[in-house]
Every structure is written in C-alpha cells, then in structure tokens.
Amino acid sequence: MNFTASKQPENCLLGPESDSQRTLYPYVTGTSVVALKYKDGILMAADMGGSYGSTLRYKSVERMKPIGKHSLLGASGEISDFQEILKYLDELILYDNMWDDGNSLGPKEVHNYLTRVMYNRRNKFNPLWNSLVLGGVKKGEKYLGTVSMIGVNFEDNHVATGFGNHLARPILRQEWHENLSFEDGVKLLEKCMRVLLYRDRSAINKLQIAKITEEGMTISPPYSLKTYWEFAAFENPTQGAVGSW
Amino acid sequence: MFRNQYDTDVTTWSPAGRLFQVEYAMEAVKQGSAAIGLRSKTHVVLGCVNKANSELSSHQKKIFKVDDHIGVAIAGLTADGRVLSRYMRNECINYNFTYESPLPVGRLVVQLADRAQVCTQRSWKRPYGVGLLVAGLDESGAHLYYNCPSGNYFEYQAFAIGSRSQAAKTYLERRFENLADSSRDDLVKDALMAIRETLQGETLKSSICTVAVVGVGEPFHILDQETVQQMINAFEIVGEQEGPAAEPDDASGQEAAAEQGGSTDEGVAPMDI
C-alpha cells in the first residue's frame, strides 16, 4: 500500500487553499442607496463614491444602472460584485429580448431572479457582497424592493441599504406619503442624502438621482448638496473642554 | 398512407422530402378521441370527448391543469400526453420559483415544440404520438396553441383534433369570427356544441365529455359534471332533435371522404402546413 501524499494542483478546492476561492471580505465598496415610490414611479439616489477601506479612493462610480425597459438597479457593497451582477442581468435581459414575443421581464421578475442568485451564492458560502435596490414600473404598477447579500428580500414604499437604513428610513417613515410629486420626492431624497453625508464617513458629496417611470429611466448628472458648517460649536471646538493635563 | 421503404426510421427521409414516421405519429393523433379548444379575448375553453372502455372502467384523463393560467387537452397516445404535461408543469413551477411570475404560455409552447422536434431527429427515439391543445394567458391576453408531434406549433382562435374533429372544425369555422368578443358562458356553450358535432348524433351528456375554462381572473379549472350537465340542459342541446344537427352530419360525411382522399396522394406533407 502506498501512503505517500499525491501532489495537489495549486487551484485545488480541498485543503488550506480552498478559501482563497471564496469572497471573504469586500475591497472596493459603495455606501448607502436610498429609494422611494412617488406618483409616477421610483426615485433612487446614491453617491458616486467607491471606498477602499477607509480611503475614499474612487469618486465617479455609477452605482445605479437601468435593467431592461422597466427596471433600475442600485447597489451598495463590493463594486466588482455589482459589475458581475450587471453581467448576469445583461444576459438575462438578452435572452428575454430574444424571445421577441411581446412578453418582458418586469421589476418583480428581476427582483426575484436576483434574490435566487444572492441566496444561492450565500448557501455556497461565496456571497456577492452587495445590498441591492431594485425599482421599476410596469403596466402602471410601481415596484420597489431590496435584496441583501444573504438573500433577505422584501418590498416596500421606501428602501435603503447600509447606513441608509439607520439614518434615512426614519426620515422616510415620517415624511413619505402616497403620490409624492417629483419635486417633493427629490427634496425628500436630498434630505436623506444630506444626513448621510454629514454622518456616514464613507459618503462623498457627489451624488446622482435616478428616476424610472412607465416612459423609461433617466439619471441626473452628478451634483453636490449644500452643506452648512458654520455652527457656533464648530468655531472653537475645544473651548470649555475639560482636559486631563 | 401506405407502407413504403422509407418509413422504418424517423431519421430516414423519403425521396419526396418527407419523414414518414413523423406523419404516422400525426395519424396517431387523428385516432385519439376528439379534443377542442376555443378562445375569446379574455377566456379560453377546452373540451374533450371522454369515452370509457367499458361501463366498469373510468375514462382516460385528457385535460390537465398545468398551472393556474395554463391547461392542456390532448388527443392521441394519452401516456405521451401525461409525460408532456408533467414536463410542462415542471417548467411552470421552475419559472414561478425564480421569477415569482407565471410562465408566459407562448414561451412554454415553444419549449414544448423544441422537445418534440428532438424526437424527430434522433435515431434512438420516436416522435411523441400526441397532439396538445394548450390554453393559457399571458401579458398579451388569452391564447390557444396546437402542438404537433412534428415539433410545429400554431396559434388558433379555435381548433379541434382527434377522431371526427372535422365536424367540430366545420362548426367552429362558422362561429370563429364572433368568438373574440364572446362572453365566458357563450364560449362554453360553443365548446359543448362543437363536442356534440363530433358525436355524430349520439346524445351529449356530461358523463361523456369534459370541459375546462381559464380566463382573466379565473384560474384554470375543470368544470364539474353537474355544472356541465346543467349547461347542456340550459342550451337544450339534445342530439338529432335540433334542425341544425342535420346539416353538419351531411357536411361531415363529405369532409371525412375528402380527408381520406387527401392523405393517400403524395401531396403536401401534413406537418408542412
């Protein structure tokens, strides 16, 4: 009997090298995405930052993309995984279009497809490290949902990812109502994004707002929010502070 | 059709460019008991003749629910039909699981046709010996399709397959222009009358036929015997006692002769139409 160990190839999935095949931590990440339903469709906002750990490294990352005719996808988390998801969806929409039969995948179908993808990856311990927001309008019906990297999915009138859940959702719960006009919707989103800008260290002051309606999708050019720093307490922050030496 | 030296294998072409095994499979459909389908803009009705072998046995199941929005009626080798229904149910369930949305019937029908085509191009397989009338709803409304053993599929306003289906087709040809705007109940009545045509004078009873409906806001379901009998009674469909019954009998006699004549000559192969 031969007990000598056989030589394993370098990319073997057995043994200590197997974990290098799986996603363990994210590298380049996007921060919150916030979205809400309004009168004509969905409004979604995301800044254009791609952080590399604590460094705000990339400042022109588009984190919202149209999917087919009816949907809009926004992502936070690992940017390369978002790009991978866009490739999957591109193929999905392509095959859908190739049927050329008057049927098309709406936002609900795309949302559920993404949920399946995310959940299956999570089961293999190799997640796509993203929190996704999927919104769209089809045949007059507005749809807005979210999927996380572990496959948690739900729909709501307003959703957010990451820090947005803690800072933006409470504002939306207070101030969102059915049939917001476009201007009111944008104002509400900007209010949320401003809070995130002040309080989320991975947020940058360069954002886009995307709108999707029955007619189609438009995305604003990047712009900045006005911020206010002239609070008295900021003038001389250490005045009156008690020191230990 | 007569035996010839090119009909042993499905993978052998005849010099006239025909695949006889596929045509023989389509003959099997013609031998099965009749199935009919008709649609309006919002509903589709399927009906079939269900004759049991003997009084002791139950009748063959010929109408299958595939999903809430799709159903199928078969004629021919019912075992093949059962297997294909299982495939269709699987496809619908898988699509629904992934997309939380019903599989558009037009796409199911293409997948079914592709499967049937495979069996016409493998030497170790035989074509399915069953014709399927697929009734379903999708984004663009109500649809009725006919899937052939040859792998072809066609969309119809109304159609009939199986034995003595020509009589039903004649009736439907007279009625089809009005079907699009028919009410659901009128559609069922037309289905029952078409079934009656295939019975050639025999009394139409709910025990020898099955009717199923699918429509906007109405999931696919088979009507129970009582309801069907009530509709038959209400529409006063009683065998030969009605005047119009005499005409279709004469017409169907002529049609049957013409049908047999047409199939023996080396004309266009049925699957090419």
Side-chain angles (χ1 to χ4, degrees):
Chain A
M1 279 189 277
N2 189 358
F3 286 113
T4 51
S6 50
K7 186 172 185 314
Q8 307 277 31
E10 271 171 34
N11 55 350
C12 180
L13 282 167
L14 305 169
E17 298 303 315
S18 61
D19 277 350
S20 66
Q21 302 283 351
R22 302 173 173 181
T23 301
L24 296 172
Y25 5 79
Y27 284 87
V28 180
T29 55
T31 184
S32 324
V33 177
V34 191
L36 47 79
K37 283 188 192 168
Y38 79 108
K39 184 163 56 90
D40 302 325
I42 311 291
L43 281 169
M44 197 184 291
D47 70 22
M48 298 192 74
S51 307
Y52 187 64
S54 54
T55 308
L56 297 175
R57 185 158 172 191
Y58 302 104
K59 300 197 190 154
S60 293
V61 182
E62 271 203 28
R63 299 196 287 117
M64 298 182 292
K65 294 283 183 189
I67 309 292
K69 286 191 293 245
H70 306 284
S71 316
L72 177 58
L73 175 67
S76 66
E78 174 61 59
I79 300 297
S80 63
D81 281 349
F82 176 50
Q83 291 170 347
E84 181 87 346
I85 288 171
L86 289 175
K87 264 185 58 196
Y88 284 143
L89 289 177
D90 196 40
E91 193 176 332
L92 181 75
I93 300 293
L94 179 71
Y95 281 117
D96 189 43
N97 289 338
M98 273 166 58
W99 279 103
D100 197 19
D101 65 350
N103 292 301
S104 55
L105 293 172
K108 178 161 99 133
E109 288 79 22
V110 177
H111 184 216
N112 281 288
Y113 172 79
L114 284 172
T115 307
R116 289 297 116 228
V117 170
M118 301 300 273
Y119 184 66
N120 276 306
R121 289 288 297 253
R122 163 260 196 205
N123 285 338
K124 296 194 279 199
F125 280 89
N126 186 15
L128 288 159
W129 207 286
N130 293 110
S131 284
L132 305 168
V133 173
L134 200 298
V137 195
K138 190 168 173 208
K139 295 242 179 83
E141 293 227 7
K142 302 186 280 259
Y143 186 91
L144 182 60
T146 176
V147 199
S148 76
M149 74 188 227
I150 55 171
V152 176
N153 101 327
F154 57 89
E155 279 174 68
D156 208 336
N157 292 320
H158 46 81
V159 296
T161 65
F163 262 86
N165 274 312
H166 300 107
L167 300 172
R169 291 300 292 289
I171 299 175
L172 293 165
R173 282 181 204 122
Q174 279 289 86
E175 302 192 20
W176 183 89
H177 58 84
E178 202 77 57
N179 289 320
L180 279 163
S181 70
F182 174 73
E183 290 75 27
D184 285 343
V186 172
K187 268 216 262 299
L188 191 48
L189 275 182
E190 282 183 346
K191 186 169 180 175
C192 297
M193 294 304 281
R194 187 170 287 109
V195 174
L196 287 166
L197 179 59
Y198 281 132
R199 292 292 174 178
D200 179 5
R201 74 141 185 212
S202 21
I204 62 166
N205 197 2
K206 184 176 172 192
L207 73 145
Q208 292 177 297
I209 296 200
K211 147 169 96 91
I212 184 158
T213 62
E214 193 77 55
E215 281 78 52
M217 181 263 198
T218 56
I219 182 162
S220 70
Y223 68 103
S224 307
L225 297 169
K226 283 217 191 64
T227 54
Y228 181 74
W229 299 96
E230 297 341 293
F231 292 105
F234 293 168
E235 297 286 308
N236 193 0
T238 54
Q239 184 179 60
V242 177
S244 60
W245 58 85
Chain B
M1 253 187 266
F2 300 116
R3 280 229 70 197
N4 54 69
Q5 58 185 146
Y6 308 109
D7 70 356
T8 315
D9 274 320
V10 73
T11 47
T12 304
W13 288 99
S14 83
R18 294 161 74 157
L19 290 170
F20 280 103
Q21 278 297 312
V22 179
E23 295 183 29
Y24 295 166
M26 287 155 76
E27 276 303 308
V29 176
K30 292 188 201 148
Q31 302 300 332
S33 58
I36 58 113
L38 28 123
R39 69 164 164 130
S40 69
K41 280 209 204 87
T42 54
H43 286 77
V44 195
V45 176
L46 292 174
C48 67
V49 170
N50 273 131
K51 295 257 190 72
N53 270 341
S54 78
E55 278 187 25
L56 298 169
S57 77
S58 67
H59 57 72
Q60 279 273 19
K61 191 163 169 190
K62 283 163 52 81
I63 297 192
F64 298 90
K65 175 171 173 167
V66 168
D67 201 342
D68 284 335
H69 66 297
I70 299 182
V72 62
I74 63 173
L77 264 53
T78 45
D80 283 2
R82 202 180 59 237
V83 155
L84 286 175
S85 302
R86 187 162 58 232
Y87 167 73
M88 291 165 81
R89 285 170 177 168
N90 248 331
E91 291 301 300
C92 284
I93 282 181
N94 287 339
Y95 188 92
N96 209 317
F97 177 71
T98 308
Y99 301 102
E100 279 241 0
S101 197
L103 173 58
V105 61
R107 298 190 181 186
L108 177 62
V109 156
V110 175
Q111 285 171 259
L112 195 55
D114 286 346
R115 260 179 83 97
Q117 191 279 340
V118 167
C119 296
T120 67
Q121 211 176 5
R122 306 281 185 270
S123 59
W124 62 91
K125 287 182 183 258
R126 64 157 176 83
Y128 286 109
V130 66
L132 301 113
L133 282 171
V134 185
L137 262 38
D138 69 20
E139 260 177 56
S140 36
H143 297 272
L144 174 69
Y145 292 93
Y146 170 53
N147 276 72
C148 200
S150 62
N152 279 331
Y153 67 95
F154 310 91
E155 186 163 7
Y156 285 97
Q157 192 71 36
F159 200 48
I161 56 176
S163 69
R164 293 195 283 266
S165 57
Q166 190 52 56
K169 270 190 259 193
T170 313
Y171 174 81
L172 293 169
E173 270 165 30
R174 275 188 276 129
R175 296 280 304 138
F176 84 92
E177 261 149 357
N178 304 319
L179 287 177
D181 297 311
S182 264
S183 72
R184 173 206 184 272
D185 287 341
D186 279 343
L187 217 58
V188 177
K189 170 187 168 187
D190 275 324
L192 286 165
M193 298 197 77
I195 294 174
R196 190 187 54 126
E197 298 301 317
T198 69
L199 292 172
Q200 305 271 21
E202 197 188 324
T203 320
L204 176 65
K205 294 183 292 233
S206 62
S207 53
I208 55 164
C209 69
T210 310
V211 180
V213 188
V214 65
V216 174
E218 188 178 351
F220 183 89
H221 65 287
I222 297 177
L223 302 180
D224 63 281
Q225 265 207 341
E226 266 181 48
T227 318
V228 176
Q229 189 58 52
Q230 277 169 15
M231 290 190 125
I232 294 174
N233 298 337
F235 302 139
E236 294 171 329
I237 304 164
V238 186
E240 296 152 31
Q241 289 166 22
E242 276 201 16
E247 284 177 283
D249 282 337
D250 289 337
S252 56
Q254 289 163 12
E255 306 283 358
E259 203 180 297
Q260 278 163 18
S263 48
T264 45
D265 63 9
E266 291 286 316
V268 184
M271 65 194 120
D272 292 332
I273 303 164

